[in-house]
Amino acid sequence: MDASRLRGWGGVGTMAVLCALALAFVLLLPCTQIAHHHHAAPDRAGQQLAEGSQVRAGSCQDSEAQKQTLAPSGADGATIDAIKAREGARRKLIVGVDQNSYRWGYRNPNTEGAQLEGFDIDLVHRIAQDILGDPDAVQFKAIPTNQRIPAIQDGRVDMVVRTMTITCERLGQVAFSAPYFKTGQQVLAPKSSTITGYNDTLAHKRVCTAAGSTGYAKLDADKKAGTLPASTDISTTVPNQLDCLVRLQLGEVDAVVTDGALAASQAAQDPAVELKGAPFTTEYYGVAMKKDASDLVRRVNRVLVAYRASGWQASYDTWLSATLGKDSSASKPPAPRYLRTS
């Protein structure tokens, strides 16, 4: 693809228009074929076992909770049976995704029909192949950042694969797979800005985040704790991260706080902005599902075992190496801690 057509204000404007026009559409894309009939053994490399469930009242710590999940299994249960029971054209995996995060989940204007592409989209196809035997058996639903959890809880989607960080708060609302990507919050600002990172240079600055994001939660907590300057204005929140970049370009805010992986992609779209300072959190993306969908969580975890061994790196090279660098070691997910459950 011609990446130059996506850079700068014009590229973002094109993407924004396409996103608005495509919001109600769904799209099926191909992916690599994988075997799906056999039960795959859990990856024992670095694997640990822990007692209990993904979240324990009063004892959850994000750094540990992000790594804990149910052990992989290829067995079908009530959730997977219901997905497979869908008839005809409805026999698809329904997945909530982004359609405006460059190289993660976005509509490529250089393809026929502005096809959905990106790192998250590759993973969705791999999961659909394993569960339904067809990588194209997917109904994509574009959902904003602040609707990820409601979409799962309301049954609008079977799962969300949308750069979604695993946190203790979210584990009280949905279930997560093992981590599939490592990142951290960073500051994005114009190259000419005096902002140097997540520090006192944010004093008297307007910062944009996506509503319901871990970026906003961190800003809000730090401002209340006094570790962020009291004069920092964090009142600007938007439904989708791309809207923050547009606000930054229009001069309505001075900086954006978001996952470093997303910020790097936004910087690639607009050469006038750059990442400021190092990541100031450690976060892991996971596939989110309903709390009681244990069979689906276990199945996705089985897919991830195979995907980490074959597929993850190829997808990283295709979509993220240009913005995050050829060395993917900093982005590789940690070994999961599979939970012992009765």
Side-chain angles (χ1 to χ4, degrees), residues 38-339:
H38 298 88
H39 182 98
D43 181 5
R44 299 292 176 181
Q47 175 185 318
Q48 301 180 47
L49 292 175
E51 299 287 349
S53 60
Q54 272 193 292
V55 60
R56 295 185 296 269
S59 64
C60 183
Q61 295 181 353
D62 284 342
S63 61
E64 288 303 312
Q66 288 175 331
K67 304 174 188 176
Q68 295 180 2
T69 186
L70 300 176
S73 172
D76 290 357
T79 307
I80 294 176
D81 286 343
I83 293 171
K84 290 183 174 181
R86 293 168 183 158
E87 298 180 355
R90 293 183 62 254
R91 194 174 184 270
K92 297 176 182 178
L93 187 67
I94 305 172
V95 185
V97 297
D98 200 351
Q99 63 173 10
N100 60 19
S101 286
Y102 184 43
R103 295 190 173 275
W104 284 91
Y106 76 109
R107 293 193 178 275
N108 184 351
N110 299 326
T111 61
E112 183 177 353
Q115 293 185 343
L116 272 171
E117 296 181 346
F119 189 85
D120 279 347
I121 304 304
D122 282 357
L123 177 55
V124 171
H125 288 302
R126 188 74 172 247
I127 296 170
Q129 169 65 42
D130 188 271
I131 294 176
L132 294 174
D134 180 2
D136 291 345
V138 182
Q139 178 184 348
F140 288 109
K141 286 195 173 183
I143 54 175
T145 304
N146 62 355
Q147 286 298 305
R148 291 177 298 188
I149 289 176
I152 295 169
Q153 293 177 326
D154 297 345
R156 285 176 275 159
V157 298
D158 300 317
M159 62 182 63
V160 167
V161 185
R162 193 188 183 284
T163 58
M164 189 169 178
T165 299
I166 306 167
T167 69
C168 289
E169 181 180 3
R170 290 172 180 171
L171 281 167
Q173 301 169 305
V174 297
F176 276 98
S177 71
Y180 68 86
F181 200 86
K182 180 181 178 182
T183 186
Q185 294 294 309
Q186 281 188 271
V187 177
L188 184 74
K191 290 180 177 179
S192 59
S193 173
T194 58
I195 295 171
T196 61
Y198 193 71
N199 52 38
D200 289 345
T201 60
L202 291 175
H204 305 289
K205 302 297 184 182
R206 300 161 298 172
V207 180
C208 181
T209 55
S213 68
T214 51
Y216 177 79
K218 175 66 172 173
L219 286 166
D220 185 52
D222 286 352
K223 190 168 182 180
K224 290 176 179 176
T227 54
L228 185 71
S231 60
T232 304
D233 183 352
I234 63 172
S235 62
T236 301
T237 60
V238 295
N240 288 298
Q241 269 303 335
L242 184 63
D243 299 333
C244 274
L245 180 58
V246 174
R247 296 287 185 94
L248 185 64
Q249 292 169 331
L250 293 174
E252 296 178 2
V253 295
D254 303 300
V256 174
V257 167
T258 186
D259 304 347
L262 294 177
S265 294
Q266 291 182 7
Q269 292 173 246
D270 187 347
V273 302
E274 65 182 2
L275 293 172
K276 301 284 189 175
F280 53 91
T281 64
T282 298
E283 302 180 11
Y284 304 109
Y285 295 153
V287 178
M289 292 153 276
K290 271 192 173 182
K291 286 282 289 181
D292 60 354
S294 58
D295 60 322
L296 188 57
V297 174
R298 292 178 185 276
R299 189 62 166 267
V300 171
N301 283 342
R302 190 185 78 154
V303 173
L304 288 174
V305 169
Y307 197 58
R308 284 191 294 267
S310 177
W312 188 97
Q313 185 63 49
S315 187
Y316 178 94
D317 291 342
T318 298
W319 302 113
L320 305 179
S321 60
T323 53
L324 297 179
K326 293 183 178 180
D327 183 1
S328 63
S329 58
S331 301
K332 287 183 176 177
R337 300 182 67 232
Y338 295 129
L339 296 162

